Amino acid sequence: MRTAFGRALGRMPSVAALPIGPALLVAALLPATAVVAKALAPTSVHAAEHEPSAVERLLAKVPSDPSVLINVPYQDLPASPDFVNLGKRSTKALERCLADNVDADARARCAIVLEALADRRALATLQAALDDWEPLVRYRVVKALGAVPDKSSVARLIALYLRKDEEPRVRAAVVGVLGKISDQRVVTLLRAELVKTPDGGDLRPALFDALWQLRHLLARDTLIDDTRKALGSDSDSLVLSATLAAAELGSPRHVAALEKLIDHPSVEIRNKAVYALGRVGDKTATKALLATLPKVRDSRMLNNIAFALERLDKQSFYVEIAKTVEHKQAVIRLNAAFVLGDVRHAEGLRLLEKALGDPSDFVRTSAVAAMGKLALSGDELARALAALAPLANSASVPLREEAIYALHRLTPGGSPDRIYSGLYAGLDPRKYHAAIRRAALALGDAGDARVRGYLLNCLLGYSCSVAEVGPYFTKHTDEVASGRMLLGWARGREGLAKVVATLRPSGTLPVAMSALRDAWASPESQETLTSLQILANLGDSSAQELIVARAATDRTLPRVWSLVAAGRLGYADAPAKLVQELEVIAAEGLGDFVRAAATIEEPTVRASLDAALEQKSEDADLQIAIAAAAIRLAWNPDRAIFRFLAGLASPDGFERALAERYLAKNNDRRVTWLLRRALAREGSIDVKDRLRAALDERS
Amino acid sequence: MRREPTLFCAAVLFALSGCAARASGGPAVLGRDRPVGAEVFRAELAMVLDLEPEARCEESFDLRIYRDPRVELVRWDEQRGECAGRAVTIRYYAERLPSAELVLVVGKLVRKAHVAGSPQ
């Protein structure tokens, strides 16, 4: 007999429907009883001792002996990740390797690692190595110089680019690096090269991309003119880059060139051209866009057209779309309804009401879905609800489905009961599995307890992702679900770590400590990293000793995560050690460092790091500076945003690009609001463009 | 008592410019968003707004209201993508912007606005 609780759990009778949380938890722990006992015992983790290999002995000498790599052939070199793991402690040895090792492959390898490290101390060595005899080494050296862009490299890089005997890939790499160095000599070269007829490899797309990176150094008119010329180019790659540029610049002087691209054979270029026309917002493009509508074959293009038309001429748009809604071909009527929904204006209601009477179910379904997207209020909302209500009982399941979701969206407070009875409970699971799943997810979003069991099974059965279902269980907690998620994580479903860390079901501490011990021989494994995150979130200082022991690993990533976790649990040395790590970590690892440090929630730990990070955020090494700022942005967006605004307005294009990259990685809504405030108050047109692009990326 | 004329004029001009800035409430001279010291007094006002129905109604409202430098932050509810019945909390510099004026400023940017908890 099912319990009342079990009935409430919904349509999937299962163990989840029974109140057996504690039993489950015990079951989860039973197979690992010995491990649990070990976890509860005093810390005693011992890695197996072994005789270090030749490579390990070599690696151990790298930080202290700059000459250690000079006579090591390529095949005897440690792997690149092992060098990178040492961070900037290996710079000197790598420099000597690049300068003095006679094996070209070894020199190339050392240059690759120097690129990953991005240590400015290696600049002079890298610049000298541009004269290396081997093209492969020169190519790698150029790329490494791109990681530490500096004006002192410009003359040598330009000289290399202009050599007639240089290989095309080296010249292309030089162009890419020059685009990172804000220098007028570079701008002059790039503009001159861009108008030349290509001989051999066509570098114009790379030249344009590099010039675009330096757009803050160009007069607006010059930039617009160069982009207009690129839009008319015979190179598809160049045209594509130019359409992206045109979208950001928003100049009416690009409209004619963009209109010609609406019918371009490349689907990418067509879409980007339409998008750019929308961004330009010039009414003259309306006719060309509307003429395209009947020819559209894919929904992305439709989206872009809707986006563009919304910004252009609303009045003529509705005159033209009214004709399209009555077109003799159903697929065009369907597309027109789709566009009306995407535009979202209430003016579309009248036309969509008409489309609800269409003989084609496809058109009617599209019209229903579109109606659900409209921004309506008052009488118009009442009209839409009245028109949709009868369709919620339609015999056509797709039509019924869209009508129910449209009603749910338009009804103030939603209408979950309609989704429950009309779709979730009202459809045959054997025939309508996908529709029921969608209904359950929608009900989950609405916080409906009736789908708890379904969602739990869906998640644990790999039919729903953690991203889809996790938020439901963190909002609506219960011990049964939490225990099963802990079990799932312990069995290797690492994606559940975040949910487990948030829910903290009873029993998590010994299980997570056991997992950390279990993975001791694999410090970089997901098991180790997620255990550390979970233990840090639990806030139980009894795990501190074990985590501090883990922080003694020679692998950088788990060491950083261990220090973060130990610091969160009260280990007083952690903040200073983390700052030391920031100084030596390879630039390639800075993103991971930021991700780890951003998880620190404890105000005291933040406070003990904040002054050092604020100082670091002005470091001459821009990669370190913006990484430090990114941690502060995660902790306190209101204060840290100004470092990013300064970065976006920097005279150095590389700093602008770094600021853009870290802003894009931060998904906090508060950052979005602060970016809007910055855009509203920004005076520089170039910075405005970048802020606009950053916001578009987030929407 | 004789006042020092230059100082007096400067004081009057300063006061007038302050009054004008306070009264205008309009768009600020565009430069760059700058931090405002912690010593400046902030207050918060919770409102429910019916925004102009358009594709990016929330962003559009933000871009307009933030032109007033006396508004520090608009915090939105979770109803992303919706334009009607949006709950917001507006943090503002209370010594520069009286709450009654803030209500007027907001009212000009939306279809309908009322202070949360007050009769509609």
Side-chain angles (χ1 to χ4, degrees):
Chain A
M1 185 184 145
R2 290 174 67 187
T3 61
F5 181 51
R7 281 194 298 279
L9 283 175
R11 57 184 302 108
M12 296 190 82
S14 70
V15 284
L18 302 170
I20 54 167
L24 256 177
L25 205 55
V26 171
L29 298 176
L30 271 178
T33 310
V35 186
V36 172
K38 190 177 165 190
L40 292 170
T43 311
S44 57
V45 176
H46 302 288
E49 295 294 334
H50 70 282
E51 194 62 31
S53 66
V55 167
E56 284 170 328
R57 284 199 300 275
L58 188 64
L59 268 173
K61 287 184 190 167
V62 165
S64 55
D65 181 358
S67 63
V68 71
L69 301 175
I70 292 175
N71 294 309
V72 182
Y74 174 77
Q75 65 270 21
D76 292 343
L77 277 178
S80 301
D82 288 330
F83 280 123
V84 173
N85 182 63
L86 289 173
K88 289 169 184 160
R89 286 179 283 254
S90 59
T91 300
K92 291 290 168 201
L94 291 163
E95 283 184 78
R96 292 295 299 277
C97 164
L98 181 60
D100 296 332
N101 196 313
V102 293
D103 183 335
D105 288 334
R107 295 200 301 280
R109 163 80 67 81
C110 291
I112 289 172
V113 181
L114 284 169
E115 180 188 358
L117 298 184
D119 189 340
R120 295 180 58 79
R121 293 175 302 170
L123 253 179
T125 305
L126 288 167
Q127 287 165 356
L130 287 174
D131 293 331
D132 198 287
W133 278 28
E134 291 297 329
L136 171 67
V137 179
R138 289 199 300 278
Y139 172 74
R140 287 297 171 192
V141 166
V142 169
K143 301 283 274 182
L145 281 169
V148 280
D150 193 274
K151 287 191 180 202
S152 65
S153 304
V154 169
R156 281 170 182 265
L157 286 167
I158 289 179
L160 190 63
Y161 175 81
L162 293 174
R163 279 185 70 135
K164 299 284 179 205
D165 59 348
E166 189 48 274
E167 286 199 359
R169 70 168 170 165
V170 177
R171 297 181 75 222
V174 168
V175 170
V177 174
L178 286 173
K180 296 178 180 177
I181 307 176
S182 297
D183 188 299
Q184 282 297 347
R185 288 172 294 174
V186 176
V187 173
T188 306
L189 172 83
L190 296 175
R191 294 197 66 231
E193 291 295 302
L194 197 53
V195 293
K196 284 185 185 169
T197 308
D199 56 338
D202 186 358
L203 290 179
R204 288 176 301 167
L207 288 162
F208 184 83
D209 289 344
L211 193 61
W212 182 247
Q213 294 300 312
L214 301 177
R215 59 195 180 280
H216 58 290
L217 300 180
L218 275 86
R220 190 79 173 177
D221 279 350
T222 307
L223 187 58
I224 289 170
D225 204 40
D226 286 353
T227 304
R228 188 180 53 75
K229 286 176 194 158
L231 285 169
S233 158
D234 56 359
S235 158
D236 281 3
S237 299
L238 179 54
V239 172
L240 185 61
S241 293
T243 54
L244 293 169
E248 188 166 318
L249 291 169
S251 167
R253 282 161 55 193
H254 292 148
V255 170
L258 288 168
E259 276 183 7
K260 285 182 192 159
L261 298 173
I262 293 178
D263 294 324
H264 196 279
S266 157
V267 64
E268 279 302 313
I269 291 175
R270 285 201 303 269
N271 271 295
K272 296 290 187 304
V274 168
Y275 176 74
L277 282 169
R279 292 300 315 276
V280 173
D282 191 294
K283 279 187 179 187
T284 54
T286 308
K287 204 171 171 188
L289 287 169
L290 285 167
T292 311
L293 207 53
K295 294 181 268 180
V296 173
R297 288 177 179 161
D298 70 282
S299 58
R300 183 156 69 109
M301 187 70 165
L302 270 176
N303 263 315
N304 283 326
I305 291 179
F307 169 85
L309 290 172
E310 186 202 11
R311 284 162 174 73
L312 302 178
D313 184 349
K314 275 182 200 162
Q315 205 177 355
S316 54
F317 165 62
Y318 282 104
V319 170
E320 293 300 322
I321 200 84
K323 295 175 200 162
T324 318
V325 164
E326 292 176 350
H327 197 276
K328 59 188 174 188
Q329 284 186 42
V331 70
I332 293 171
R333 300 197 299 276
L334 180 149
N335 284 348
F338 178 94
V339 168
L340 282 167
D342 242 27
V343 170
R344 299 198 60 206
H345 289 299
E347 289 94 317
L349 177 61
R350 182 179 49 83
L351 298 172
L352 289 171
E353 282 173 327
K354 224 184 244 182
L356 289 185
D358 198 283
S360 160
D361 269 0
F362 289 104
V363 177
R364 294 168 72 208
T365 305
S366 177
V368 165
M371 203 178 269
K373 292 184 194 170
L374 298 182
L376 301 171
S377 58
D379 291 346
E380 287 166 334
L381 176 60
R383 257 170 59 199
L385 291 173
L388 289 168
L391 299 171
N393 301 314
S394 169
S396 157
V397 172
L399 188 56
R400 188 199 315 171
E401 199 179 356
E402 293 309 327
I404 287 175
Y405 287 118
L407 284 163
H408 178 60
R409 203 195 147 269
L410 292 175
T411 305
S415 54
D417 286 344
R418 202 178 253 132
I419 298 178
Y420 186 85
S421 57
L423 299 172
Y424 181 73
L427 292 174
D428 181 348
R430 287 165 301 181
K431 269 178 85 177
Y432 297 106
H433 170 77
I436 289 169
R437 180 183 177 280
R438 182 185 173 193
L441 290 174
L443 288 166
D445 282 344
D448 198 311
R450 291 172 291 187
V451 289
R452 184 188 298 271
Y454 179 97
L455 293 179
L456 183 60
N457 282 305
C458 190
L459 176 67
L460 297 175
Y462 294 87
S463 298
C464 294
S465 69
V466 177
E468 284 174 318
V469 178
Y472 174 86
F473 288 103
T474 50
K475 265 190 207 160
H476 310 282
T477 56
D478 83 75
E479 195 60 24
V480 174
S482 305
R484 291 191 66 193
M485 284 187 214
L486 172 61
L487 179 61
W489 170 74
R491 281 174 172 167
R493 183 117 185 242
E494 312 294 355
L496 289 169
K498 236 182 189 170
V499 185
V500 171
T502 307
L503 295 174
R504 308 171 198 191
S506 54
T508 302
L509 180 70
V511 174
M513 286 177 74
S514 299
L516 184 57
R517 288 166 185 274
D518 192 51
W520 206 260
S522 313
E524 290 173 306
S525 64
Q526 280 302 304
E527 193 178 2
T528 297
L529 301 179
T530 56
S531 301
L532 289 166
Q533 290 164 49
I534 289 172
L535 288 170
N537 251 40
L538 288 177
D540 190 321
S541 60
S542 63
Q544 194 197 108
E545 191 184 343
L546 179 67
I547 292 173
V548 171
R550 184 68 290 184
T553 174
D554 63 358
R555 308 307 297 180
T556 302
L557 185 61
R559 192 168 63 243
V560 167
W561 276 104
S562 299
L563 287 171
V564 164
R568 294 183 63 190
L569 297 181
Y571 178 51
D573 293 349
K577 289 189 174 186
L578 280 167
V579 174
Q580 284 168 14
E581 294 286 350
L582 184 59
E583 282 162 2
V584 295
I585 196 169
E588 196 180 79
L590 281 169
D592 285 321
F593 188 97
V594 172
R595 233 185 331 278
T599 62
I600 296 174
E601 293 169 359
E602 296 69 17
T604 51
V605 189
R606 285 185 177 182
S608 60
L609 269 167
D610 194 56
L613 290 178
E614 188 171 15
Q615 199 182 346
K616 284 277 169 212
S617 68
E618 300 301 332
D619 200 286
D621 184 323
L622 291 172
Q623 302 223 39
I624 290 180
I626 305 298
I631 297 167
R632 300 184 78 232
L633 185 72
W635 292 351
N636 189 343
D638 294 42
R639 281 178 61 196
I641 191 71
F642 298 105
R643 176 64 186 90
F644 283 85
L645 299 183
L648 291 177
S650 167
D652 188 324
F654 187 59
E655 185 173 356
R656 291 182 181 223
L658 282 169
E660 283 173 326
R661 199 183 311 157
Y662 277 106
L663 278 171
K665 283 181 184 171
N666 185 315
N667 295 320
D668 189 344
R669 284 181 80 202
R670 202 173 180 96
V671 172
T672 305
W673 302 335
L674 293 166
L675 288 174
R676 289 175 186 164
R677 187 180 77 190
L679 175 58
R681 295 174 182 175
E682 182 56 49
S684 151
I685 192 159
D686 180 74
V687 179
K688 267 175 113 80
D689 284 348
R690 288 171 195 260
L691 286 165
R692 181 67 272 162
L695 282 165
D696 287 345
E697 191 90 348
R698 302 171 85 84
S699 64
Chain B
M1 188 182 140
R2 191 166 172 266
R3 288 190 182 95
E4 183 65 42
T6 316
L7 196 62
F8 177 70
C9 290
V12 169
L13 278 172
F14 179 76
L16 283 175
S17 66
C19 289
R22 184 175 291 210
S24 70
V29 176
L30 292 179
R32 178 145 305 134
D33 195 19
R34 305 270 179 213
V36 173
E39 73 284 358
V40 178
F41 180 67
R42 274 93 163 160
E44 290 193 339
L45 182 69
M47 300 185 80
V48 178
L49 311 178
D50 282 356
L51 305 168
E52 290 298 331
E54 55 185 315
R56 290 179 168 191
C57 48
E58 180 190 305
E59 179 183 286
S60 175
F61 173 84
D62 276 353
L63 292 179
R64 280 178 289 162
I65 198 163
Y66 281 136
R67 290 175 69 85
D68 190 323
R70 299 170 301 175
V71 173
E72 186 175 41
L73 192 74
V74 181
R75 286 204 314 272
W76 291 91
D77 61 13
E78 292 294 327
Q79 306 297 311
R80 287 178 229 192
E82 300 297 326
C83 300
R86 296 298 305 272
V88 291
T89 304
I90 303 175
R91 196 167 69 203
Y92 59 102
Y93 305 116
E95 286 170 359
R96 302 174 187 173
L97 176 62
S99 61
E101 190 183 340
L102 174 60
V103 173
L104 288 176
V105 168
V106 171
K108 284 180 191 164
L109 302 178
V110 298
R111 282 198 167 180
K112 203 170 106 186
H114 74 272
V115 175
S118 70
Q120 290 189 45

